[in-house]
Amino acid sequence: MAKAESFSVVGQRIQRVEGYEKVTGETRYIADIVLPKMLIGRILRSPFAHAKILHIDTSRAEKLRGVRTVVTAEDTIKKPWGAFFADQYPLSVGKVRYVGEEVAAVAAVDRDAAEEALDLIDIEWEELPAVFDAEEAMQQGAPLVHEDKERNIAMTIDVERGDIQKAFAESDLIVEDTFESTPQWHCAIETIGSVAEYSPNGKYTIYMNTQTLFSARGRIAAALGVRETDIRIIQSAVGGGFGGKSCDDNNALVAAILARKAGRPVKIINTREEEFLAGSRPRVFMKIYVKMGFKKDGRIRAKQTRVIADNGAYSAKAPAITGVAALRHDTCYRYSDVKTQAYLVYTNKIPTGAFRGFGNPSAEWAVEQTIDEAAHELGIDPLEIARMNAAEPGYVSPHGNRVISCELKQCIDLTEKMMDWKSTQANKKPNTGLGLACTVHVSGKRHFGDYDGSSATIKINEDGKALILSGEGEAGQGCYTTMCAIAAEELGIPIEDVEISRADTDLTTFCLGAFASRLTYISGNAVRDAASNVKRQLFEQAAEMLEANPEDLVSRDGRIFVKGAEQKAFTVADVARARLFRNGGAPIVASGKFDADSVLQDSTRYGNESGAYNYGCQAAEVDVDRETGRVKILRYVCASDCGTVIYPVGAEGQVEGAVAQGIGYALTEGLRMEDGRPLNPNFSDYRIPSMRDMPPLKHAFADSYEPTGPFGAKGLGELGMDPTAAVIGNAIFDAVGVRIKTLPITPEKVLKALKEKEKEKKGK
Amino acid sequence: MVKFDYVEPESLPEACALLQRHGEDAKLIAGGTALLIWLRLNLLTPRVLISLANIPEFDYIRFDSKDGLRIGAGARHRDIELDPAVRAHYPLLHETFKKVAQPRIRNMATLGGNLCQGDPLTDPGASLIALDAAVALSGPSGNRVLPLEQFFIDYYQTDLRAGEILTEIHVPPPVDGSRWSHIKFLPRSQEDFATVGVALTLRLKGERCEDIRLALNSVGPTILRARRAEEILRGQPVSERLIGAMAEAATEEVDPIDDNRGSAEYKREMVKVLVRRAAQAALQTSAPA
Amino acid sequence: MKQTVRLNINEQWYQEEVEPRLLLSFFLREQAGLTGTHVGCVIGECGACTVILDGRLVKSCLLFAVQADGRSILTIEGLAKDGKLHAVQEAFVQQYGLQCGYCTPGMILATYYLLRRNPNPTEEQIREALGGNLCMCTGYVHIIEAVNAAAKELKNRQD
């Protein structure tokens, strides 16, 4: 239920705070940072998927004109690091496990010298048998990617809630199927980069375009064997993140190692090819077996999944991603009896990692298509099956997720309306079809220790402007604008009077960064708390000046007055100056914090993983060319429940961008690999949607209010791409009666399926 | 990328002389849009780049109703696309050039550069072959003219001899009653190279197909002309059945490979579908005046 | 051998000794210090390095600096005049035609070039003109709105 609140900033057509610098080209991205005496670093990468390094000779490279330093594992402490499992090294120790792994690096006076030096590093290799398929890797006797991981299994989940046997026995219809997702790259137009410098007093300063500064600091400190405070990370502007810039790669570490040895700052900017090989860690490739039981009327009775997740050579965030793929969907509909088994398996391929949606897009690709299959078999409109099973406020999932606000049903209604579902269905042209899918996402996830919080500091300057100091991860998505809006609303000042600093681990307080759609909800709450605390200081001062009680004061449009007596007011600047410029004066500054009311999952993966849950429903109308298999999306609609919409154009942009990524995932993106070697690591062959590829897109936000969120808001960033592939898959089925079970849905696969269906028909 | 010297000769003879002097060490650069990528990938390692930017009279587009269309090798795709005479008399070329890459590539890339690269994935060659175009080559042993369809030899290989420079592309005058169609099949992304490209010109006399030229790109080592398929229709009364047979025959003349755009098998299958569609579309076009 | 290159960028001359293999995009960024021209792929696919060369829209990663010798270039830094944003820039701010901003200079220059030639583009023409600029943030919806808004504003200014 929406709560009536009138806002002066929140929900208004506010402007992006960094808008002007971005349209003039003034924004300083990582590649734009130049330090005195700075060298250019380049990384030598493994040409083999699995090989022993017998010997490295760097002497020829060191002698090349312009080269200042060459490093190998011998220049490191050889300690593994990683977000969940410490399993990767900054530079290979003893052996390499995928094509693209960092083996050595050079720093030189310019790009050309650095590149030429790479060819002069001589390495003796001994190739090892490699494994590229997760299921093969799980067989006894398969080559071991990490010697200590039996059957290459990095992690297992095995969870049953309720009584799955009984639930299937009580089902009227059982649907079983197997689906495969695909690795997907973030393709932020800016690649990962860093500029590192080392001061002889032992401190590293690293400029990074990361979306998770403090996590980066922790991991880099661990890998370098120093304390957190010995690392200072300063965030440059970030040219898109989507999970890919959450420091699971070695770029900054190698720059730091080079900088220390060279005694000069070193910059490393990934090339696009490096970004595909070993930069942003792609979405985990999964094979998902689904079995679901339904009652005749369409109610879901049982759900069982088996997930084989291909980790690649190193783990990064894949352990958590696999967990999400196995369990998260059980918060979307009202489930009682569920079982899941999931395996995260090492292979000699590019390490996978966090990508917008985490495990959700892969799981929904499988589960939402299975539900659609059931709808068709039962002769029930897929829209109705979604509606009758949809989660509601107060729902507690079998794994303990406690849903407070939930407008999934409203999202389904909005989708129905925007798509004009019933009449479009009734007047369907040949080879066109409608499909839909629903989704749930978290607003922050408790999984890095027992903490899913944030903090912020706000100071009021003498001119009455507020400055937010936040260590959170603006990656281009616009969270700074959201934070400024929240602070402005709470402080009662115009948004133009709020500024926000770039994150810097030495100057801002601890924040986890941008992941799990957490910033609006988690850091928004922390900013609001800081604003509320700093407002208290302002009101204490203003109360003296107005000869009133602080609790009787209000602030609006930058003026503070006694409620009901607006004619006598002081500006925030007046109050700030009065507080500062006096004997014993003090600055007006306060911090705020928030930690979600969630629970760290126990060893059985039980626990309320997030403070709030976001919901969405999407639908597409497609046209399929039966002769070529080409799928054209005629229309796309999406409805999202993200609570109060704080920054409307920003929110629209999040959904639109997410859907575009979902469409790429569904239809065009896919890296072809041969023996672990990518064949198309470039934008020419790996196709992300262009402007000409995007269908007309409509969206709506549900009228929703999350009581625990800042001004009723919750997360949104990932929701938009979670169900998209399933939506398109379902629409294709509706159009031509074939179901594609592996991503991406290429025209070739559609054509093949159509032909097989034709054959079957003739056979009968 | 290797180090190289860059020279800008002021005349064609000077360019030829330079090319001869440096031999294998030299590469010509016109627009450079394709060459740069090859250099970046170290697939080419020249010592000298000889730019054709300053060659006078090298980027003309001239039309004469008796002589046809003459395009200087240095003419840019965008200028050919927008040329009024091309638009009026060679709608197939206008349509084809409109679909090449994106405007800002067309703004730089030259037709000569495109043809000399010998890339079977690009579009202009097929339409030019369908229009019976020829290329003029100038080299140490004089000048020669070659039908374009004989110019392409293999993947990225042309009939260009050592020291030779492609100078002009000639398209015969438009024939009355000629019909045409062009299909750039892009099932993945509108910004891609063609998965299959089909260019077709066709002339009817009553119901009978008087002449037909069918060229395809992205389905073999070179841009190719499907002569055997043409023969099925040439001189025959046009029917759905014959068009189908022609499409079927075309699949025998192509030799596609598996790549990111699809398997060889799929592309072959698409040749059948798209050649048929191209013929049907050509029959729909009204003959130009 | 290094060569002298003289470029007129945003109505100012820049002269440098450069290697012929230096790409124009890097000349702009590193020699001229104009970092608004971004680099995303270096194979002419992403469009982030788009600039205007002698009135033609080009990708500066597909051109050597020596090829541009003696010619005029407009980069994103040259679009605003007297501290006032160009109407296209203003529209991208107002219509939220950006998120991370990395593709934005290329998008804006492509829009500027389009609207100079075609002041009333249809949506299809916009999609074609900007199809060579990849953006992974926006799904392009607000960018198209920004182009439409810019076209309208430019027309208003002429009336």
Side-chain angles (χ1 to χ4, degrees):
Chain A
M1 265 308 284
K3 187 174 144 190
E5 250 185 275
S6 72
F7 300 120
S8 50
V9 182
V10 162
Q12 311 303 309
R13 204 182 154 80
I14 42 184
Q15 264 182 21
R16 180 70 183 254
V17 293
E18 321 98 308
Y20 280 83
E21 58 171 68
K22 290 193 168 173
V23 298
T24 51
E26 295 303 320
T27 302
R28 197 167 298 160
Y29 296 92
I30 192 70
D32 306 336
I33 290 172
V34 175
L35 298 181
K37 291 170 69 190
M38 186 177 83
L39 302 172
I40 301 298
R42 284 297 307 265
I43 296 171
L44 181 70
R45 299 177 178 281
S46 166
F48 299 109
H50 201 188
K52 260 192 211 159
I53 301 168
L54 301 178
H55 182 69
I56 305 183
D57 180 357
T58 59
S59 56
R60 285 201 305 145
E62 278 157 16
K63 282 182 208 132
L64 184 74
R65 201 174 147 187
V67 170
R68 293 290 172 269
T69 302
V70 184
V71 295
T72 66
E74 297 310 311
D75 300 287
T76 70
I77 60 167
K78 300 187 184 177
K79 201 175 146 221
W81 69 284
F84 291 103
F85 304 151
D87 58 7
Q88 69 171 333
Y89 297 92
L91 293 164
S92 313
V93 176
K95 76 167 187 173
V96 292
R97 296 178 175 85
Y98 72 98
V99 173
E101 182 167 326
E102 300 83 357
V103 180
V106 300
V109 293
D110 61 31
R111 202 180 309 112
D112 293 332
E115 194 165 324
E116 281 161 22
L118 293 183
D119 291 338
L120 302 177
I121 299 174
D122 301 305
I123 304 181
E124 264 180 68
W125 302 94
E126 180 191 325
E127 246 190 291
L128 297 169
V131 61
F132 303 113
D133 177 85
E135 281 176 301
E136 276 172 31
M138 288 169 77
Q139 303 299 318
Q140 288 294 353
L144 289 181
V145 181
H146 296 266
E147 283 72 16
D148 59 336
K149 295 288 178 197
E150 210 184 313
R151 290 170 57 219
N152 289 308
I153 295 175
M155 184 200 71
T156 307
I157 296 171
D158 192 348
V159 168
E160 182 175 339
R161 317 273 187 215
D163 185 339
I164 197 75
Q165 294 270 351
K166 182 162 167 267
F168 277 120
E170 288 174 11
S171 300
D172 298 318
L173 170 73
I174 292 174
V175 183
E176 285 179 82
D177 224 325
T178 305
F179 298 86
E180 280 178 29
S181 65
T182 181
Q184 182 187 21
W185 275 257
H186 313 76
C187 298
I189 309 300
E190 180 207 41
T191 60
I192 291 171
S194 51
V195 180
E197 57 180 333
Y198 179 74
S199 117
N201 67 12
K203 186 139 185 161
Y204 295 88
T205 300
I206 312 176
Y207 295 84
M208 286 177 76
N209 55 357
T210 177
Q211 58 187 97
T212 52
L213 270 80
F214 285 85
S215 320
R217 183 180 71 171
R219 288 178 208 142
I220 290 170
L224 295 177
V226 299
R227 297 168 70 182
E228 274 87 346
T229 313
D230 294 334
I231 310 279
R232 177 184 184 184
I233 296 184
I234 303 172
Q235 192 197 34
S236 65
V238 183
F242 318 113
K245 287 179 176 146
S246 41
C247 194
D248 291 311
D249 64 295
N250 283 317
N251 179 294
L253 264 168
V254 175
I257 292 161
L258 281 169
R260 186 187 55 203
K261 193 168 175 195
R264 289 170 65 167
V266 174
K267 177 196 271 188
I268 304 182
I269 308 290
N270 281 356
T271 64
R272 180 57 57 187
E273 184 183 1
E274 289 180 296
E275 192 78 348
F276 275 102
L277 284 169
S280 69
R281 301 295 197 222
R283 187 183 300 291
V284 184
F285 164 71
M286 295 185 195
K287 193 166 179 179
I288 303 179
Y289 160 83
V290 192
K291 178 179 174 186
M292 292 185 76
F294 294 83
K295 299 300 277 183
K296 248 188 246 138
D297 62 3
R299 273 175 303 146
I300 300 169
R301 185 66 190 85
K303 169 175 168 260
Q304 183 175 354
T305 58
R306 186 166 184 271
V307 179
I308 311 289
D310 185 341
N311 202 7
Y314 300 102
S315 295
K317 308 275 172 29
I321 293 161
T322 308
V324 167
L327 306 163
R328 174 76 53 75
H329 196 273
D330 302 348
T331 310
C332 188
Y333 300 122
R334 282 168 292 128
Y335 288 99
S336 53
D337 303 85
V338 295
K339 177 176 168 66
T340 186
Q341 284 168 302
Y343 303 90
L344 179 64
V345 187
Y346 286 112
T347 58
N348 291 110
K349 291 196 298 200
I350 295 171
T352 57
F355 191 140
R356 183 183 230 166
F358 231 46
N360 250 356
S362 322
E364 289 182 2
W365 161 245
V367 176
E368 287 286 332
Q369 285 208 86
T370 307
I371 295 173
D372 192 68
E373 283 179 30
H376 281 95
E377 286 211 27
L378 291 167
I380 303 173
D381 188 335
L383 190 89
E384 298 308 331
I385 253 194
R387 190 175 274 147
M388 96 178 58
N389 289 295
E392 292 172 325
Y395 170 59
V396 180
S397 85
H399 316 291
N401 284 353
R402 309 183 76 84
V403 177
I404 302 173
S405 64
C406 170
E407 296 298 340
L408 178 55
K409 285 185 180 169
Q410 205 191 123
C411 289
I412 296 169
D413 293 346
L414 287 166
T415 301
E416 178 178 13
K417 205 169 140 206
M418 284 186 288
M419 192 44 97
D420 205 356
W421 183 270
K422 295 255 150 72
S423 79
T424 307
Q425 220 170 26
N427 304 308
K428 228 167 52 174
K429 291 193 195 86
N431 305 324
T432 68
L434 287 178
L436 100 168
C438 296
T439 184
V440 61
H441 214 94
V442 290
S443 307
K445 177 170 166 62
R446 185 169 296 262
H447 61 179
F448 289 120
D450 190 3
Y451 178 62
D452 186 21
S454 180
S455 61
T457 300
I458 298 181
K459 56 178 191 161
I460 307 290
N461 287 335
E462 308 90 283
D463 57 4
K465 285 181 93 165
L467 179 72
I468 307 172
L469 298 168
S470 165
E472 288 294 4
E474 171 64 79
Q477 75 278 49
C479 71
Y480 278 177
T481 307
T482 305
M483 288 191 225
C484 288
I486 288 170
E489 188 68 50
E490 182 65 31
L491 286 165
I493 61 177
I495 191 168
E496 293 75 23
D497 280 3
V498 185
E499 284 188 11
I500 185 160
S501 74
R502 278 251 156 228
D504 178 333
T505 56
D506 268 12
L507 304 180
T508 53
T509 50
F510 190 86
C511 289
L512 285 169
F515 62 90
S517 302
R518 63 194 297 281
L519 293 185
T520 297
Y521 179 75
I522 305 268
S523 90
N525 266 322
V527 166
R528 188 178 184 184
D529 187 46
S532 159
N533 291 339
V534 87
K535 191 166 77 172
R536 199 170 310 124
Q537 292 178 17
L538 276 175
F539 279 13
E540 274 167 22
Q541 178 65 35
E544 270 180 41
M545 297 158 76
L546 288 161
E547 295 171 357
N549 288 320
E551 52 271 27
D552 295 334
L553 300 186
V554 273
S555 124
R556 195 185 300 144
D557 299 331
R559 298 162 76 248
I560 301 172
F561 49 88
V562 177
K563 199 173 180 181
E566 199 167 339
Q567 64 289 358
K568 194 184 171 197
F570 287 98
T571 64
V572 172
D574 293 337
V575 177
R577 282 171 182 280
R579 171 105 163 179
L580 188 63
F581 295 110
R582 62 171 177 178
N583 198 326
I588 296 184
V589 60
S591 288
K593 68 175 173 62
F594 177 75
D595 189 15
D597 185 17
S598 52
V599 178
L600 187 67
Q601 287 175 341
D602 64 18
S603 59
T604 74
R605 301 258 171 181
Y606 189 89
N608 182 27
E609 59 181 330
S610 180
Y613 297 89
N614 343 316
Y615 287 90
C617 179
Q618 303 185 353
E621 184 182 11
V622 303
D623 175 271
V624 181
D625 184 331
R626 278 182 177 273
E627 285 188 321
T628 65
R630 183 174 180 229
V631 175
K632 185 166 189 227
I633 305 173
L634 302 173
R635 290 188 293 151
Y636 203 96
V637 307
C638 36
S640 314
D641 164 19
C642 61
T644 302
V645 180
I646 303 257
Y647 170 30
V649 284
E652 288 164 15
Q654 281 303 299
V655 178
E656 290 155 359
V659 168
Q661 265 178 331
I663 289 173
Y665 184 52
L667 296 177
T668 66
E669 296 178 39
L671 199 68
R672 295 203 312 143
M673 293 242 214
E674 208 173 82
D675 296 338
R677 200 182 313 273
L679 299 177
N680 54 327
N682 56 60
F683 282 159
S684 170
D685 292 324
Y686 183 96
R687 275 287 162 197
I688 61 174
S690 80
M691 196 178 275
R692 280 200 276 179
D693 299 324
M694 281 296 287
L697 188 64
K698 248 195 211 174
H699 55 74
F701 292 105
D703 183 14
S704 170
Y705 191 92
E706 167 58 43
T708 65
F711 303 107
K714 46 187 180 176
L716 176 67
E718 294 166 273
L719 199 61
M721 91 158 287
D722 288 343
T724 309
V727 168
I728 294 167
N730 290 342
I732 292 169
F733 182 83
D734 191 49
V736 289
V738 297
R739 196 166 287 286
I740 309 304
K741 294 168 190 174
T742 63
L743 283 174
I745 307 171
T746 60
E748 186 162 3
K749 288 181 192 170
V750 175
L751 189 67
K752 197 167 162 221
L754 282 165
K755 283 191 169 168
E756 272 161 21
K757 196 179 165 224
E758 201 60 34
K759 238 189 253 166
E760 253 172 55
K761 242 197 211 162
K762 277 185 191 155
K764 279 174 192 170
Chain B
M1 198 184 312
V2 292
K3 275 191 195 186
F4 51 77
D5 288 334
Y6 175 85
V7 286
E8 287 187 347
E10 302 285 334
S11 71
L12 200 59
E14 195 190 336
C16 283
L18 278 166
L19 198 52
Q20 234 186 330
R21 175 162 8 125
H22 293 286
E24 292 286 291
D25 286 339
K27 267 280 161 197
L28 293 178
I29 179 165
T33 51
L35 184 76
L36 253 83
I37 295 170
W38 287 57
L39 291 170
R40 273 191 52 77
L41 297 171
N42 285 326
L43 294 170
L44 292 175
T45 52
R47 297 261 182 90
V48 187
L49 283 193
I50 303 167
S51 167
L52 301 174
N54 285 349
I55 308 289
E57 277 294 289
F58 204 56
D59 62 354
Y60 53 87
I61 303 168
R62 288 185 206 125
F63 175 71
D64 178 292
S65 58
K66 288 201 188 82
D67 180 50
L69 182 68
R70 292 193 181 267
I71 302 174
R76 292 162 201 272
H77 287 63
R78 182 72 164 162
D79 294 332
I80 301 167
E81 169 199 352
L82 298 179
D83 186 83
V86 170
R87 207 191 277 249
H89 305 293
Y90 301 92
L92 169 59
L93 287 186
H94 171 70
E95 187 67 23
T96 306
F97 279 76
K98 221 169 79 175
K99 295 177 191 163
V100 174
Q102 310 132 5
R104 74 203 76 164
I105 301 288
R106 302 203 290 275
N107 269 338
M108 293 161 71
T110 66
L111 180 54
N114 170 280
L115 298 176
C116 291
Q117 196 206 356
D119 184 344
L121 294 177
T122 63
D123 312 302
S127 293
L128 287 165
I129 289 176
L131 290 167
D132 199 13
V135 286
L137 310 164
S138 177
S141 48
N143 300 338
R144 61 184 177 124
V145 173
L146 197 68
L148 180 59
E149 57 173 300
Q150 288 170 24
F151 183 64
F152 302 120
I153 307 258
D154 204 343
Y155 284 107
Y156 307 102
Q157 262 186 48
T158 63
D159 193 43
L160 216 50
R161 295 175 194 157
E164 255 184 349
I165 296 176
L166 192 156
T167 55
E168 187 186 77
I169 297 91
H170 174 240
V171 189
V175 183
D176 277 351
S178 183
R179 296 157 188 267
W180 61 275
S181 70
H182 183 258
I183 296 177
K184 183 174 186 178
F185 180 55
L186 295 164
R188 288 201 307 172
S189 162
Q190 295 305 299
E191 305 300 333
D192 206 352
F193 283 107
T195 299
V196 176
V198 184
L200 185 142
T201 57
L202 179 70
R203 211 149 24 98
L204 293 182
K205 197 165 193 180
E207 295 291 296
R208 211 165 49 82
C209 169
E210 197 172 39
D211 195 15
I212 176 168
R213 293 178 70 91
L214 170 63
L216 298 127
N217 59 288
S218 302
V219 285
T222 66
I223 298 170
L224 57 98
R225 182 168 169 201
R227 281 175 174 274
R228 270 169 288 154
E230 290 172 4
E231 286 314 314
I232 290 180
L233 215 58
R234 185 172 290 119
Q236 301 298 318
V238 174
S239 69
E240 279 296 308
R241 191 188 59 79
L242 273 191
I243 288 174
M246 173 179 74
E248 187 75 51
T251 66
E252 301 293 320
E253 291 181 78
V254 300
D255 184 16
I257 52 164
D258 297 347
D259 67 10
N260 300 297
R261 289 161 201 90
S263 70
E265 192 193 353
Y266 176 72
K267 289 180 200 170
R268 205 181 286 276
E269 171 96 26
M270 287 309 97
V271 165
K272 188 163 100 182
V273 173
L274 298 169
V275 165
R276 196 197 73 227
R277 287 185 183 179
Q280 287 165 339
L283 291 170
Q284 300 298 317
T285 53
S286 54
Chain C
M1 205 174 52
K2 284 198 174 180
Q3 272 176 253
T4 305
V5 169
R6 211 164 158 259
L7 299 181
N8 185 318
I9 310 171
N10 304 331
E11 294 169 9
Q12 265 190 39
W13 285 100
Y14 293 75
Q15 184 170 324
E16 295 283 337
E17 295 281 309
V18 302
E19 285 222 23
R21 63 177 162 174
L22 182 73
L23 299 178
L24 179 60
S25 49
F26 289 118
F27 183 98
L28 295 172
R29 293 178 50 78
E30 291 163 9
Q31 258 68 28
L34 298 167
T35 54
T37 300
H38 296 150
V39 170
C41 70
V42 210
I43 58 159
E45 286 291 342
C46 78
C49 69
T50 296
V51 299
I52 292 173
L53 174 70
D54 281 348
R56 281 173 183 255
L57 195 70
V58 300
K59 299 193 179 190
S60 62
C61 73
L62 290 185
L63 200 73
F64 293 115
V66 289
Q67 287 177 277
D69 185 27
R71 301 165 75 178
S72 305
I73 292 167
L74 176 68
T75 72
I76 190 70
E77 288 91 346
L79 212 49
K81 288 272 171 331
D82 308 322
K84 203 169 169 296
L85 294 185
H86 187 273
V88 175
Q89 292 172 304
E90 189 66 45
F92 271 73
V93 176
Q94 297 293 340
Q95 302 304 318
Y96 194 57
L98 57 89
Q99 281 185 39
C100 81
Y102 201 76
C103 72
T104 308
M107 286 282 183
I108 288 176
L109 286 169
T111 305
Y112 169 84
Y113 177 81
L114 166 71
L115 297 180
R116 295 252 309 220
R117 269 146 197 80
N118 179 0
N120 297 302
T122 62
E123 182 162 327
E124 203 192 324
Q125 288 167 333
I126 295 172
R127 285 175 187 263
E128 181 178 349
L130 273 62
N133 293 79
L134 297 177
C135 167
M136 206 61 258
C137 297
T138 62
Y140 307 104
V141 181
H142 280 73
I143 294 178
I144 294 171
E145 284 172 21
V147 178
N148 281 322
K152 209 166 145 192
E153 175 59 25
L154 284 168
K155 243 185 348 203
N156 284 345
R157 284 186 194 180
Q158 275 176 1
D159 290 345

